[in-house]
C-alpha cells in the first residue's frame, strides 16, 4: 500500500531552523507533483510550496526566501528546509504527493502524510 511518512517536526525558537522529510513508500509507478501544506488552529489548510516532477517550484509569499523545497526522486522523498522561522509558521505540516500506483498506473491519486507539528516559540 502506498503511504507517505513525515518526520522532522518539533519545537524551535524564533529565528531557528528545521528540516522536514517526507518519504513515499509502497508499490509506486511514478510520482508527479509533491508539496507541503500547513494548517494552524482555526485556519484553513494552505499550500506552503509545491514542486513539479521537473523541479519547478511555487512558494507562498509568506515563506519565500526562508523555506526551500527539494526532492530526491531516487528515494521518493521530498524535503522542506525551514530557516528564519517565525511564530506565525506554527502549524501542522502535511506532505502531499500525486502518485501513479503500480496497481493502477493509468490513475493519478492524491496521497497525504500523517502531519508533523512545527512550533515556533520563545
Amino acid at each position: 500500500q502506498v503511504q507517505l511518512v513525515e518526520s522532522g517536526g518539533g519545537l524551535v525558537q524564533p529565528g531557528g531552523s528545521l528540516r522536514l522529510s517526507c518519504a513515499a513508500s509502497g508499490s509506486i509507478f511514478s510520482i508527479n507533483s509533491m508539496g507541503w501544506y500547513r494548517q494552524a488552529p482555526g485556519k484553513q489548510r494552505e499550500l506552503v510550496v509545491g514542486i513539479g516532477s521537473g523541479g519547478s517550484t511555487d512558494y507562498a509569499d509568506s515563506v519565500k526566501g526562508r523555506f526551500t523545497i527539494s526532492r530526491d526522486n531516487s528515494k521518493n522523498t521530498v524535503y522542506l528546509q525551514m530557516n528564519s522561522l517565525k511564530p506565525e509558521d506554527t502549524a501542522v505540516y502535511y506532505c502531499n504527493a500525486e502518485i501513479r500506483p503500480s496497481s493502477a498506473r493509468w490513475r493519478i491519486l492524491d496521497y497525504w502524510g500523517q502531519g508533523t507539528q512545527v512550533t515556533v516559540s520563545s
Side-chain angles (χ1 to χ4, degrees):
Q1 191 67 237
V2 175
Q3 63 177 4
L4 305 181
V5 179
E6 302 178 32
S7 62
L11 174 65
V12 65
Q13 294 185 347
S17 298
L18 285 173
R19 181 177 172 86
L20 306 183
S21 298
C22 174
S25 63
S27 298
I28 296 170
F29 179 72
S30 66
I31 301 177
N32 294 342
S33 296
M34 305 185 80
W36 291 94
Y37 292 73
R38 66 186 182 186
Q39 187 168 26
K43 296 184 178 180
Q44 292 186 322
R45 185 173 299 186
E46 64 175 352
L47 175 67
V48 178
V49 58
I51 184 168
S53 60
S56 62
T57 58
D58 287 301
Y59 292 87
D61 289 340
S62 59
V63 306
K64 285 182 178 178
R66 300 187 298 118
F67 291 10
T68 302
I69 191 172
S70 61
R71 62 189 290 175
D72 185 338
N73 292 330
S74 69
K75 297 180 179 180
N76 289 336
T77 300
V78 64
Y79 307 92
L80 183 65
Q81 179 66 47
M82 304 184 293
N83 299 326
S84 302
L85 283 162
K86 304 175 180 179
E88 49 263 47
D89 295 318
T90 296
V92 177
Y93 283 70
Y94 296 91
C95 175
N96 170 261
E98 296 177 323
I99 295 175
R100 294 181 182 269
S102 296
S103 60
R105 300 178 182 182
W106 59 94
R107 303 177 69 182
I108 301 176
L109 302 179
D110 198 48
Y111 292 87
W112 292 89
Q114 80 280 9
T116 184
Q117 177 71 48
V118 172
T119 302
V120 185
S121 176
S122 60

